[in-house]
Amino acid sequence: MNESGIITFFDSPERSPLDDIIKDYLLFQVNPLINQILEGYPEFVVVLNKNRQIVAFNNKVYTAFNASSPEQILGKRVGEVMNCIHSHLMPGGCGTSQFCRECGAAKAIKFTNEKNLPSEEECTITSSLDSKEISFEFNVYSQPIAFKGTNYTLFAVKDISGVKRKEALERIFFHDILNTTGAISGIANLLGDAENKEEREELLNAIMISSQQLMYEIVSQRDLRYAEDGNLQLNIREISLNEIIEIAYKLYERSDHAKYKVFTLQLPEDDIKVKSDKTLLIRCIGNLIKNALEASGPNEPVKVYSYYNDEFAYINIFNNQVIPENVRLQLFQRSFSTKQSKGRGLGLYSVKLIIEQYLMGKVSFVTNDVFGTVFTIQLPLEFPQQEKAI
């Protein structure tokens, strides 16, 4: 809790009064050199006061923040004008929630404010726009400036979304898909040396599984791109809950990910029907299963189970590991990953995007020392009337 009595988990919640904001704004407005410098930035740039509130900005801010007048921008913090999904969680606003501790923009601004030194960070901001969540990826720069005897922070951004998407595709097509095609080629070469029918059938089955995995990777990335663009087509029909979960389970039951793991499936005896897109739902469940298997060590349990009530079906994936706090605060961000390779981090992001914005469900998780980690997909039994959610 701050001295003001307002709870904060990261930066100070204090705000300057409107009169001080307007005074600073007019001070910058009447200075031609400052305005020329601000307008010279290729993307949006703002000047922040000691309480991280915007007191000056270039004209690119109007487009970036979908604003039409200074009143919609002045006095707010960066996350608030961008409608960051975490900026309104706490009474203190942007910079005061638990999630802000892992935000590159919040960290850069705090560092510059406290150390009077420049800072550079990568930042993913998820904004809520027209009931749709959109992820933005930036390099952010904060620079201390002194003007008329007062210290301010110059905060500028560079959009790196294209770079991040390129890294993701490079990882997928140069790593995952190359490995899969290599496996297919290797198995195909062994066919000529097969000594009997049983061995040939086993090799052919391995080729089929690898080919399906190759197609799965390509189609997954295509659908993710369609989903982000708002063009993903749905095939909604009535399907068996047990059937889709069992299909997703069997995709990984004999995979390398499941080796040496205690991988189990528990389904309700009384099956029910849900209205959803079978292919997309299986893919989302499969992503969560793969993550759980990858996070688990030898002989550790990974369990898939489900239940339902009169309105919703719940699909759960359990593993024994506990997610560290710094990781759990970033899990659903587009490029965040616990893996070291560049370009990873699309799995959970794509699950949340497809389940919540297309299949009208919810994705959540709990993690603690008592119960381990459980990811849950909540689906309505009846799909809403609209053809797609966005």
Side-chain angles (χ1 to χ4, degrees):
M1 184 177 292
N2 196 267
E3 293 178 0
S4 63
I6 302 175
I7 295 175
T8 179
F9 290 99
F10 188 59
D11 214 337
S12 63
E14 284 82 5
R15 293 179 186 266
S16 303
L18 181 59
D19 287 347
D20 289 351
I21 300 294
I22 295 175
K23 180 181 177 181
D24 283 339
Y25 174 65
L26 294 175
L27 193 66
F28 283 101
Q29 279 290 99
V30 298
N31 189 296
L33 178 60
I34 291 291
N35 282 282
Q36 289 175 26
I37 292 174
L38 293 180
E39 293 303 331
Y41 279 81
E43 300 188 57
F44 80 77
V45 59
V46 298
V47 177
L48 308 174
N49 67 7
K50 64 179 181 179
N51 291 320
R52 312 188 306 285
Q53 294 164 274
I54 298 172
V55 295
F57 52 89
N58 64 4
N59 284 324
K60 297 177 182 70
V61 168
Y62 288 117
T63 301
F65 296 159
N66 194 28
S68 57
S69 66
E71 291 77 16
Q72 294 175 281
I73 300 167
L74 290 174
K76 294 184 178 179
R77 294 174 179 152
V78 174
E80 293 162 358
V81 292
M82 291 195 72
N83 209 22
C84 169
I85 60 173
H86 303 131
S87 64
H88 306 292
L89 295 179
M90 300 293 295
C94 174
T96 62
S97 78
Q98 290 176 305
F99 296 93
C100 301
R101 293 200 294 242
E102 304 301 329
C103 172
K107 289 192 286 187
I109 293 168
K110 182 177 174 67
F111 179 87
T112 296
N113 260 347
E114 294 181 350
K115 306 295 185 181
N116 200 38
L117 292 170
S119 180
E120 178 180 350
E121 295 274 355
E122 284 193 6
C123 175
T124 299
I125 293 179
T126 303
S127 298
S128 178
L129 302 173
D130 298 325
S131 301
K132 174 184 176 183
E133 289 188 4
I134 300 176
S135 289
F136 299 94
E137 292 158 312
F138 302 121
N139 260 9
V140 296
Y141 308 86
S142 57
Q143 170 74 38
I145 58 173
F147 184 61
K148 301 291 186 180
T150 303
N151 291 328
Y152 300 91
T153 296
L154 185 75
F155 180 79
V157 304
K158 179 181 179 181
D159 189 344
I160 58 171
S161 300
V163 173
K164 289 298 184 179
R165 283 164 173 77
K166 181 174 179 290
E167 287 179 356
L169 288 175
E170 285 179 350
R171 191 273 298 179
I172 291 156
F173 284 97
F174 297 156
H175 182 271
D176 293 1
I177 288 181
L178 187 60
N179 285 348
T180 305
T181 53
I184 294 172
S185 178
I187 298 169
N189 288 334
L190 292 175
L191 272 174
D193 299 325
E195 296 180 355
N196 51 58
K197 180 181 178 181
E198 287 76 16
E199 188 175 346
R200 283 194 297 273
E201 288 180 351
E202 184 177 345
L203 290 171
L204 286 170
N205 184 59
I207 289 176
M208 183 181 70
I209 293 172
S210 296
S211 299
Q212 290 173 341
Q213 185 63 33
L214 179 63
M215 181 64 71
Y216 177 90
E217 291 286 354
I218 296 172
V219 172
S220 293
Q221 292 311 306
R222 181 201 66 185
D223 287 349
L224 174 58
R225 183 58 181 266
Y226 286 168
E228 289 184 313
D229 292 342
N231 297 320
L232 184 60
Q233 299 299 311
L234 301 182
N235 179 21
I236 302 299
R237 59 191 179 91
E238 193 172 74
I239 51 179
S240 158
L241 179 65
N242 284 1
E243 178 189 352
I244 57 174
I245 298 174
E246 189 169 7
I247 290 173
Y249 174 80
K250 287 183 176 179
L251 284 173
Y252 291 93
E253 184 180 17
R254 297 184 180 180
S255 70
D256 289 340
H257 301 292
K259 282 184 178 179
Y260 313 116
K261 315 291 171 64
V262 184
F263 186 34
T264 59
L265 173 66
Q266 181 179 327
L267 298 174
E269 291 184 7
D270 297 326
D271 193 11
I272 59 164
K273 302 289 186 180
V274 297
K275 287 185 178 179
S276 192
D277 185 300
K278 181 177 180 179
T279 301
L280 293 176
L281 187 52
I282 290 172
R283 192 175 302 150
C284 290
I285 299 169
N287 269 332
L288 295 183
I289 289 174
K290 181 181 179 182
N291 284 350
L293 290 170
E294 288 181 337
S296 302
N299 300 315
E300 289 189 339
V302 175
K303 181 179 178 181
V304 183
Y305 63 99
S306 68
Y307 58 91
Y308 56 87
N309 56 30
D310 292 338
E311 295 183 83
F312 300 102
Y314 299 88
I315 303 162
N316 306 278
I317 295 89
F318 159 84
N319 76 86
N320 214 27
Q321 296 295 314
V322 178
I323 303 173
E325 184 181 31
N326 68 311
V327 174
R328 74 183 72 157
L329 294 175
Q330 304 175 77
L331 272 183
F332 293 112
Q333 290 183 357
R334 190 185 194 279
S335 295
F336 176 76
S337 176
T338 56
K339 304 177 181 70
Q340 297 302 312
S341 302
K342 281 188 175 183
R344 292 183 177 269
L346 295 178
L348 286 175
Y349 165 78
S350 66
V351 170
K352 183 177 177 65
L353 174 65
I354 290 171
I355 292 294
E356 296 193 356
Q357 297 193 35
Y358 283 87
L359 301 186
M360 308 303 291
K362 293 289 182 184
V363 181
S364 61
F365 70 94
V366 293
T367 183
N368 56 55
D369 293 326
V370 177
F371 299 109
T373 297
V374 179
F375 278 86
T376 300
I377 294 175
Q378 175 187 307
L379 287 174
L381 301 187
E382 291 290 332
F383 192 80
Q385 290 301 312
Q386 58 263 50
E387 293 183 2
K388 63 181 180 178
I390 60 175

